[in-house]
Amino acid sequence: MRQVHHFIDGEHHQTPDARKHDIWNPSTGEVQAQVSLGDSALLDRAVATAKKVQGEWATTNPQKRARVMFAFKELIEANMQELAELLSSEHGKVVDDAKGDVQRGLEVIEYACGIPQVSKGEHTLGAGTGIDVYSMRQPIGIGAGITPFNFPAMIPMWMFGMAIAAGNAFILKPSERDPSVPVRLAELFMEAGAPKGLLQVVHGDKEMVDAILDHPDIAGVSFVGSSDIAHYVYRRGADNGKRVQAMGGAKNHGIVMPDADLDMVVNDLAGAAFGSAGERCMALPVVVPVGADTAERLKDKLIPAIEKLRIGVSNDPDAHYGPVVTPEHKARIEKWIDTAENEGSEVVVDGRGFSLQGHEKGFFVGPTLLDHVTTDMESYKEEIFGPVLQIVRADDFEHAVRLPSEHQYGNGVAIFTRNGHAAREFAARVDVGMVGINVPIPVPVSYHTFGGWKRSAFGDTNQYGTEGLKFWTKVKTVTQRWPDGASDLGGDGSNAFLIPTL
Ligand code: NAD
């Protein structure tokens, strides 16, 4: 059976006696590979390597660091098909979607190519008589990233793209469910000219995560995953004096105003609620029609659109979406549909018990539409992370603003309307981090920044863009005065040991 190894000091590092985790092929329902799970001794080895290379990398001028990013970008483009197929075979998302996963990560690498421009500091000439003040951004040293299964290319690149361009060494701990693409990215990064050991991949579960959080030489940890674990990572990392950003779960709402273009909404919802089998933190699993008439008109159009969705194996070019990631996740999603039904939701389209002919062992869940969902239901409060769309009916605009604002998660939200004033009011008032106006999945482009609010993110710095740069660097501010003549220090009548008044 294929084995996935750690990638340490530029080599595949085998640990035959280590604990192993099975990697499924979700389309066939068979185990296709195994990944070794690492421990603190293995992490020590990676950190020692990272320490050796980081100092020289930090003093490599930013233009040369950018050249490695440019070469990496070209290698990703050249290997796009291979990366997408590998990703799709372990995750279950269809190949085109997997290309999107790689592409959105690549866009952060493109942004990181501009590191000479974006990392320039600030300067004030003449802050006092003969006094200048300037600030510089210096790398934090060794950064680590702990990533979820659902974007095994994009999210690692969000993190290591910015961290490494800024002068850090990086240790990635990807999800043990689909770890092959992250290793392949590390190989390509070295091929692009990065020194051995600058980007390393260690695999593992909680044991490795705890080792990262406790390691005294890791200065910063970026985490993306579910909220309870994000909160835990945030607390334990911060307790150990690290900077930590920890992105969590989501339950994004799509508000449909009475004047919305319903054909556009239905088309957008088909992709945003069911694409990638709903396993996206920016999916739209809740739709909020405003007014009873809007709800009925929307439902009439939604049902046939949902029934037309084609579910297929992940390399079926005509499939809208593929299987979910593991058998446990399939069971969990179906259990949530049971719960929703028991809580009083109407199951309008039922995806439970779906089986794909010829692939009966695959982890497929049919598209599901639930109506009359209310805010007291557990199935509304929690993240389902599957191809399940819940309709929560709002009485009016004010009610529609309140629903996402009062939800425990605050990652993304969308409003569909033709009314600019309503959209503007909504964007200004809603208590959510990323807003789409007639855009169903408002993942910001790489030169803006990604981050949710409330239980969708712990810590105060977003992913990528200038926020990412801030996270992976520490600022140093220099206040300088150059007396006229080096030997005259203090000779102008002032006391050189006093803090000068600016
Ligand atoms: P997860 O929380 O199960 O796993 C994330 C990472 O944490 C993995 O690397 C995993 O190995 C590690 N981990 C698992 N259990 C752990 C434990 N007990 N202690 C310490 N570490 C542990 O998440 P997932 O199922 O891989 O991914 C889906 C979740 O990620 C969803 O909740 C989704 O909303 C969220 N997500 C959020 C964003 C965002 O930007 N907000 C983006 C993508 C995914």
Side-chain angles (χ1 to χ4, degrees):
M1 179 158 312
R2 181 166 67 89
Q3 300 291 317
V4 180
H5 303 296
H6 310 283
F7 192 73
I8 295 182
D9 203 5
E11 281 167 16
H12 293 267
H13 181 79
Q14 304 197 13
T15 49
D17 301 329
R19 289 186 299 126
K20 302 268 195 286
H21 182 86
D22 289 339
I23 303 168
W24 295 100
N25 177 335
S27 296
T28 62
E30 281 157 6
V31 174
Q32 59 161 316
Q34 284 188 316
V35 59
S36 300
L37 303 177
D39 55 14
S40 60
L42 186 108
L43 182 69
D44 284 345
R45 207 180 166 120
V47 170
T49 305
K51 268 176 143 174
K52 270 194 288 171
V53 291
Q54 193 266 330
E56 198 180 330
W57 179 249
T59 53
T60 300
N61 81 50
Q63 207 159 356
K64 285 190 178 153
R65 282 187 251 138
R67 281 185 199 132
V68 173
M69 293 294 163
F70 273 112
F72 182 50
K73 163 187 156 58
E74 288 182 357
L75 280 171
I76 293 176
E77 282 164 346
N79 290 277
M80 176 65 90
Q81 187 67 26
E82 177 219 314
L83 288 166
E85 283 173 12
L86 182 60
L87 194 162
S88 157
S89 83
E90 291 185 356
H91 176 287
K93 63 175 77 174
V94 296
V95 174
D96 267 357
D97 224 3
K99 281 186 188 158
D101 188 331
V102 180
Q103 176 62 31
R104 291 309 299 259
L106 177 60
E107 288 166 15
V108 173
I109 302 301
E110 287 168 345
Y111 179 78
C113 289
I115 197 71
Q117 168 66 13
V118 298
S119 61
K120 286 190 299 193
E122 293 172 335
H123 193 277
T124 303
L125 183 72
T129 309
I131 291 178
D132 307 326
V133 181
Y134 63 93
S135 61
M136 54 183 120
R137 293 217 152 260
Q138 296 188 321
I140 58 171
I142 302 176
I146 301 162
T147 54
F149 82 87
N150 69 323
F151 280 100
M154 175 183 84
I155 294 178
M157 284 192 268
W158 282 1
M159 297 174 181
F160 76 72
M162 292 309 299
I164 292 182
N168 300 287
F170 196 83
I171 297 175
L172 173 66
K173 206 288 306 158
S175 169
E176 61 277 38
R177 289 182 249 175
D178 47 10
S180 295
V181 164
V183 174
R184 189 73 193 107
L185 290 175
E187 287 173 349
L188 291 174
F189 196 60
M190 222 175 74
E191 206 180 314
K196 282 202 296 187
L198 193 62
L199 172 60
Q200 303 180 92
V201 182
V202 295
H203 301 291
D205 51 15
K206 182 176 187 326
E207 185 178 349
M208 180 56 88
V209 171
D210 287 349
I212 290 171
L213 296 172
D214 294 345
H215 203 294
D217 294 331
I218 293 177
V221 176
S222 181
F223 173 92
V224 176
S226 50
S227 286
D228 286 348
I229 299 176
H231 195 189
Y232 165 78
V233 164
Y234 180 69
R235 276 177 299 167
R236 187 158 175 162
D239 245 11
N240 285 323
K242 300 182 196 314
R243 57 176 68 184
V244 184
Q245 53 176 199
M247 274 65 193
K251 191 94 181 191
N252 307 321
H253 295 52
I255 313 302
V256 183
M257 296 297 288
D259 65 350
D261 174 344
L262 288 191
D263 291 319
M264 185 184 94
V265 171
V266 166
N267 188 45
D268 284 352
L269 278 175
F274 302 105
S276 201
E279 294 170 320
R280 291 180 181 139
C281 65
M282 288 295 275
L284 270 191
V286 177
V287 61
V288 181
V290 176
D293 175 61
T294 313
E296 291 311 319
R297 286 188 296 123
L298 178 69
K299 213 166 126 182
D300 285 349
K301 286 180 185 272
L302 253 181
I303 296 168
I306 291 173
E307 284 170 345
K308 263 194 236 139
L309 290 173
R310 179 182 161 104
I311 298 123
V313 290
S314 63
N315 59 4
D316 173 351
D318 297 323
H320 290 108
Y321 74 85
V324 301
V325 68
T326 57
E328 294 80 21
H329 194 48
K330 174 181 157 82
R332 188 175 167 274
I333 294 166
E334 294 194 336
K335 198 159 166 239
W336 270 122
I337 303 172
D338 295 342
T339 305
E341 188 173 34
N342 295 336
E343 288 176 323
S345 316
E346 180 195 345
V347 183
V348 183
V349 181
D350 192 348
R352 287 171 291 189
F354 179 90
S355 164
L356 187 69
Q357 207 181 1
H359 296 90
E360 288 76 8
K361 281 163 57 193
F363 314 140
F364 298 95
V365 181
T368 299
L369 181 65
L370 304 169
D371 196 5
H372 300 290
V373 175
T374 52
T375 54
D376 55 331
M377 295 180 180
E378 287 307 306
S379 59
Y380 168 74
K381 294 180 196 162
E382 300 297 331
E383 185 180 37
I384 298 177
F385 220 54
V388 180
L389 178 59
Q390 295 173 292
I391 302 178
V392 181
R393 294 159 178 246
D395 303 329
D396 52 25
F397 176 76
E398 290 302 323
H399 187 192
V401 178
R402 270 202 319 276
L403 282 165
S405 298
E406 289 174 0
H407 201 281
Q408 61 164 330
Y409 295 119
N411 215 36
V413 70
I415 183 166
F416 299 93
T417 181
R418 290 185 167 97
N419 182 325
H421 177 72
R424 185 172 179 274
E425 275 288 293
F426 182 80
R429 285 170 49 194
V430 71
D431 193 11
V432 172
M434 292 173 280
V435 181
I437 297 174
N438 297 312
V439 171
I441 306 186
V443 176
V445 289
S446 62
Y447 41 97
H448 282 259
T449 182
F450 183 104
W453 289 4
K454 299 179 284 184
R455 274 181 61 74
S456 293
F458 302 89
D460 58 6
T461 325
N462 277 2
Q463 299 279 348
Y464 64 78
T466 48
E467 289 269 300
L469 180 78
K470 274 187 192 155
F471 184 76
W472 296 112
T473 53
K474 46 193 181 186
V475 68
K476 182 180 281 177
T477 309
V478 179
T479 304
Q480 70 174 7
R481 179 170 65 149
W482 293 100
D484 188 7
S487 58
D488 294 349
L489 215 61
D492 60 353
S494 69
N495 185 340
F497 297 97
L498 289 181
I499 298 172
T501 310
L502 298 185

